[in-house]
Amino acid sequence: QSVLTQPPSASGTPGQRVTISCSGSSSNIGRNYVYWYEQFPGTAPKLLINTNNQRPSGVPDRFSGSKSGTSASLAISGLRSEDEADYFCAAWDDSLSAWVFGGGTKLTVL
Amino acid sequence: QVQLQESGPGLVKPSQTLSLTCTVSSGSFNSGGYYWNWIRQHPGKGLEWIGCIYYSGTTSYNPSLKSRVSISEDTSKNQFSLNLSSVTASDTAVYYCTRGHDNGDYVDGFDIWGQGTMVTVSS
């Protein structure tokens, strides 16, 4: 069981907006930044969202992140078939003194 | 562009020590502002942070693995290494080395990843 909780799956049709949630606690999301990673099968994860809501260079503005209290969300607007991937959230946990991840959400574009 | 490359045995016997090395392609390994991590992913599963080494040489480990993990560096070779002792089948995973920014008062997420290396624990 992962420390951060994500839905195992999400789906949408091309052009739609989808959101993926990430729930944590006061020791991780509640007091630290949240990061989001995108992973395609057989490849390494890629940093998608930095420090709650910042996009690294090259990440389309269709991707956005937000945080409120002990939860965070990743939103993808204008959904495309190439967005079909696994998405993971992560945060530093002060109680564990460790990085913790969500279990991942598999996004399907219908 | 900085690149990371994992290397090491793909098969390790139970109870032995898993040893991997990550080679950093540029001089950023010897400059401040970064920390270097090992992360693993069990087949079909999520990600697990193993530990890291900071520019100062200080290490930090996941409490769940701390008794078996050691991370070290060889700055002359732009490399850092992972040793995981007393392995069992549950240590079978893809192992990634990654880089993160150390901003002083907090550390950032992992902006650069190696391609990953699959390690199987089996006799």
Side-chain angles (χ1 to χ4, degrees), chain A residues 47-58:
Chain A
L47 181 63
L48 196 63
I49 296 292
N50 210 6
T51 54
N52 297 338
N53 54 23
Q54 300 301 304
R55 288 184 306 278
S57 174

Side-chain angles (χ1 to χ4, degrees), chain A residues 33 35 37 39 43-47 50-51 88 92 96-99 101-103, chain B residues 35 39 41 45-49 60-61 63 96 106-111 113-114:
Chain A
Y33 291 118
Y35 301 82
Y37 299 89
Q39 185 180 35
T43 68
K46 165 194 162 186
L47 181 63
N50 210 6
T51 54
F88 296 90
W92 178 261
L96 296 173
S97 293
W99 282 98
F101 290 90
Chain B
Y35 72 116
I39 292 170
Q41 185 170 32
K45 303 291 186 181
L47 300 163
E48 180 180 29
W49 180 75
S60 179
Y61 303 127
Y96 296 100
Y106 73 95
V107 290
D108 249 341
F110 318 111
D111 64 339
W113 295 63

Side-chain angles (χ1 to χ4, degrees), chain B:
Chain B
Q1 173 72 353
V2 176
Q3 292 184 318
L4 307 182
Q5 178 67 59
E6 305 90 351
S7 59
L11 180 65
V12 181
K13 288 182 168 48
S15 80
Q16 291 191 342
T17 295
L18 180 161
S19 296
L20 296 174
T21 295
C22 182
T23 301
V24 182
S25 68
S26 79
S28 69
F29 187 71
N30 291 315
S31 60
Y34 301 104
Y35 72 116
W36 307 89
N37 303 264
W38 287 98
I39 292 170
R40 69 181 182 180
Q41 185 170 32
H42 295 101
K45 303 291 186 181
L47 300 163
E48 180 180 29
W49 180 75
I50 300 171
C52 69
I53 187 163
Y54 297 93
Y55 173 70
S56 63
T58 302
T59 55
S60 179
Y61 303 127
N62 190 321
S64 67
L65 298 168
K66 189 172 185 176
S67 64
R68 299 193 292 130
V69 173
S70 174
I71 295 176
S72 60
E73 63 182 0
D74 186 337
T75 55
S76 67
K77 296 181 179 178
N78 284 355
Q79 293 177 335
F80 63 105
S81 298
L82 168 70
N83 280 339
L84 181 65
S85 64
S86 305
V87 297
T88 68
S90 63
D91 293 309
T92 293
V94 175
Y95 286 77
Y96 296 100
C97 57
T98 74
R99 186 189 82 169
H101 288 259
D102 184 351
N103 298 297
D105 53 350
Y106 73 95
V107 290
D108 249 341
F110 318 111
D111 64 339
I112 296 179
W113 295 63
Q115 65 184 25
T117 186
M118 179 69 199
V119 179
T120 301
V121 178
S122 174
S123 56

Side-chain angles (χ1 to χ4, degrees), chain A residues 38-46 81-87, chain B residues 96:
Chain A
E38 175 184 68
Q39 185 180 35
F40 296 102
T43 68
K46 165 194 162 186
S81 59
E82 57 260 38
D83 297 332
E84 195 163 277
D86 292 324
Y87 294 87
Chain B
Y96 296 100

